[in-house]
C-alpha cells in the first residue's frame, strides 16, 4: 500500500467504515510509516475534539451520511488529504450546530438497526458484496475457516427461493463478522453472523430507513439479517436459519 492509498483510507478507517481486508493492509502500512501514523493520530484527535466541543442533537435520519458523502466527494475530486476534509466537516457541522460525530452509540440510541443497515448499504455500494462468490455451501463455509475464530453455519436455500450468493468478512460495531449473502428475486439479503456475547436471545425486529433488521442469538452465535424484501419473505428466511 502506498502513502497516497493509505491517506485516502484513513478517514473511512477512523469512521469504522472500512472492510476488514483494507483495515489489515492499512494497519500494516501505518505501523511502519510515521507520516501516515501521524495523519491517523491527528485525525483521531480532531474527531475527539469535535465530539467534545460541538453542541449535540440527534440529527434527522440520513443527514450525517449525506453530509459526509458530499464532503468526501468534494475532497476526492480535489484530492485533498483526509485531515482537511474532516476539518471541513467539523466546520460545516459547527456552523449548522450539528454534532459532526453522531457517534455510533448516539446513532444506535436513535436508530437501533442503523449500524446493520449501514453495513448492508456499504456492501451494496462499495463493490464489495462478496469475498467468496459461490452458491455452494461447501465452498463458502470452509472459506471462512482460519479467517474468523468461530464456525459459521452456511446453507444454500435455493429450493426455498433464497439462493446463496456468497460470503465475505465484514466489520460491525468494530468486530469482525461473517456476512452471508442471499438473493431473493432482484433483492439482496445480508446475514451477519458473529459470536454471541450472551446466552440465546429471542427474535427481535426493527425497521430503519426502509430496511428491516431481524436479530437473534442461538448456539453461541449472534445473527442479524437485513433486507428490504417483504416482511413475510424476510421472516421466511429467518425461520429457515433459526431451524439450522
Ligand atoms: Zn505512508
Amino acid at each position: 500500500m502506498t502513502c497516497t492509498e493509505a491517506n485516502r483510507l484513513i478517514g473511512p478507517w477512523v469512521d469504522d467504515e472500512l472492510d476488514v481486508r483494507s483495515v489489515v493492509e492499512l494497519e500494516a502500512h501505518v505501523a511502519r510509516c510515521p507520516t501516515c501514523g501521524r495523519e491517523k493520530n491527528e485525525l483521531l484527535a480532531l474527531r475527539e475534539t469535535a465530539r467534545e466541543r460541538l453542541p449535540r442533537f440527534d440529527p434527522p435520519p440520513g443527514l450525517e451520511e449525506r453530509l459526509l458523502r458530499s464532503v468526501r466527494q468534494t475532497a476526492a475530486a480535489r484530492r485533498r488529504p483526509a485531515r482537511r476534509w474532516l476539518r471541513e466537516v467539523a466546520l460545516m457541522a459547527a456552523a449548522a450546530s450539528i454534532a459532526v460525530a453522531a457517534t455510533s452509540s448516539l446513532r444506535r440510541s436513535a436508530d437501533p438497526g442503523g449500524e446493520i443497515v449501514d453495513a448492508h448499504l456499504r456492501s451494496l455500494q462499495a463493490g464489495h458484496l462478496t469475498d467468496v462468490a459461490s452458491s455452494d455451501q461447501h465452498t463458502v463455509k470452509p472459506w471462512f475457516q482460519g479467517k474468523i475464530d468461530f464456525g459459521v453455519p452456511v446453507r444454500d436455500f435455493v429450493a426455498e427461493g433464497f439462493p446463496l450468493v456468497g460470503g465475505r468478512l465484514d466489520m460491525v460495531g468494530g468486530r469482525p463478522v461473517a456476512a452471508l449473502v442471499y438473493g431473493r428475486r432482484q433483492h439482496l439479503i445480508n446475514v451477519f453472523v458473529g459470536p454471541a456475547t450472551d446466552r440465546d436471545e429471542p427474535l427481535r425486529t426493527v425497521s430503519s430507513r426502509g430496511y428491516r433488521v431481524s436479530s437473534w442469538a442461538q448456539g453461541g452465535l449472534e445473527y442479524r439479517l437485513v433486507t428490504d424484501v417483504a416482511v413475510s419473505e424476510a421472516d421466511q428466511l429467518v425461520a429457515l436459519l433459526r431451524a439450522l
Side-chain angles (χ1 to χ4, degrees):
M1 179 175 286
T2 65
C3 288
T4 310
E5 287 166 341
N7 203 271
R8 189 171 54 79
L9 294 176
I10 285 172
W13 182 25
V14 165
D15 289 339
D16 285 335
E17 287 174 358
L18 274 194
D19 60 281
V20 177
R21 223 172 11 194
S22 303
V23 168
V24 170
E25 285 175 23
L26 191 56
E27 276 178 355
H29 177 87
V30 165
R32 59 190 155 69
C33 172
T35 312
C36 290
R38 252 195 320 275
E39 182 76 23
K40 179 204 164 197
N41 291 338
E42 285 177 19
L43 198 59
L44 280 172
L46 188 66
R47 188 182 68 166
E48 286 311 308
T49 308
R51 275 188 185 165
E52 283 162 18
R53 301 242 178 109
L54 291 173
R56 288 193 168 195
F57 72 99
D58 286 353
L63 176 66
E64 185 198 10
E65 282 82 1
R66 287 198 299 278
L67 193 64
L68 286 173
R69 200 178 311 129
S70 70
V71 173
R72 266 189 206 145
Q73 278 163 359
T74 312
R78 296 183 194 172
R79 293 181 168 278
R80 279 194 228 133
R83 184 155 35 98
R84 287 187 54 189
W85 67 249
L86 192 82
R87 190 167 293 143
E88 201 168 313
V89 173
L91 290 172
M92 281 170 68
S97 295
I98 293 163
V100 60
T103 60
S104 50
S105 60
L106 186 63
R107 193 185 304 161
R108 253 198 300 283
S109 64
D111 181 8
E115 200 176 24
I116 298 297
V117 172
D118 286 346
H120 179 66
L121 294 176
R122 214 160 54 224
S123 77
L124 304 181
Q125 289 168 358
H128 180 218
L129 183 63
T130 54
D131 288 326
V132 51
S134 172
S135 60
D136 183 358
Q137 63 208 37
H138 303 294
T139 302
V140 176
K141 187 178 169 65
W143 182 85
F144 283 111
Q145 280 164 14
K147 299 187 179 68
I148 43 178
D149 56 3
F150 52 93
V152 186
V154 182
R155 185 77 62 87
D156 183 20
F157 294 113
V158 66
E160 293 84 357
F162 299 96
L164 180 66
V165 176
R168 71 174 185 284
L169 289 181
D170 210 321
M171 293 281 270
V172 174
R175 292 191 312 164
V177 294
L180 300 174
V181 183
Y182 289 95
R184 179 71 172 183
R185 298 187 309 275
Q186 72 277 37
H187 297 270
L188 288 164
I189 303 167
N190 265 292
V191 181
F192 297 98
V193 185
T197 48
D198 210 340
R199 61 195 178 285
D200 287 6
E201 295 280 349
L203 178 63
R204 268 191 293 244
T205 61
V206 291
S207 290
S208 172
R209 285 172 277 163
Y211 294 87
R212 193 151 176 275
V213 179
S214 308
S215 323
W216 71 95
Q218 67 183 57
L221 294 173
E222 182 181 38
Y223 294 78
R224 282 160 298 182
L225 181 151
V226 54
T227 184
D228 62 348
V229 302
V231 168
S232 61
E233 295 178 307
D235 287 347
Q236 203 185 330
L237 182 57
V238 168
L240 289 165
L241 291 163
R242 281 166 67 80
L244 279 181

